[in-house]
């Protein structure tokens, strides 16, 4: 993620925490917070959570996101 989480235009602290869970590989936190409505959240660069997860290759994170789609 270019420049860190400051480029993420989420509206709530929980949405910011969701992205942090993806980048840290925290699958338990991701599963707790991820909903079908949130699976397509985007960064200012237009990346979805899946795009971000693929940059931080933690297979369990990618699988958890894919299961929400």
């Amino acid at each position: 993620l270019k420049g860190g989480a400051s480029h993420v235009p989420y509206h709530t602290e929980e949405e910011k925490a969701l992205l942090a869970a993806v980048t840290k590989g925290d699958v338990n936190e991701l599963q707790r917070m991820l909903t079908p409505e949130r699976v397509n959240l985007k960064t200012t660069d237009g990346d979805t959570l899946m795009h971000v997860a693929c940059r931080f290759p933690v297979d369990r994170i990618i699988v958890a996101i894919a299961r929400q789609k």
Side-chain angles (χ1 to χ4, degrees):
L1 194 60
K2 298 175 192 169
S6 63
H7 289 309
V8 181
Y10 296 136
H11 304 286
T12 68
E13 290 302 313
E14 191 165 288
E15 290 169 341
K16 291 176 186 178
L18 179 58
L19 179 69
V22 171
T23 60
K24 290 188 282 186
D26 188 343
V27 72
N28 292 328
E29 186 69 5
L30 174 73
Q31 289 175 328
R32 184 185 75 74
M33 297 172 53
L34 190 60
T35 64
E37 296 79 24
R38 290 184 173 155
V39 76
N40 291 316
L41 289 174
K42 292 185 179 182
T43 67
T44 55
D45 294 331
D47 294 334
T48 64
L49 292 176
M50 184 64 84
H51 291 122
V52 174
C54 288
R55 289 193 198 106
F56 298 88
V58 177
D59 293 341
R60 296 175 303 160
I61 293 289
I62 294 168
V63 168
I65 294 169
R67 286 185 177 156
Q68 280 295 323
K69 291 207 169 224

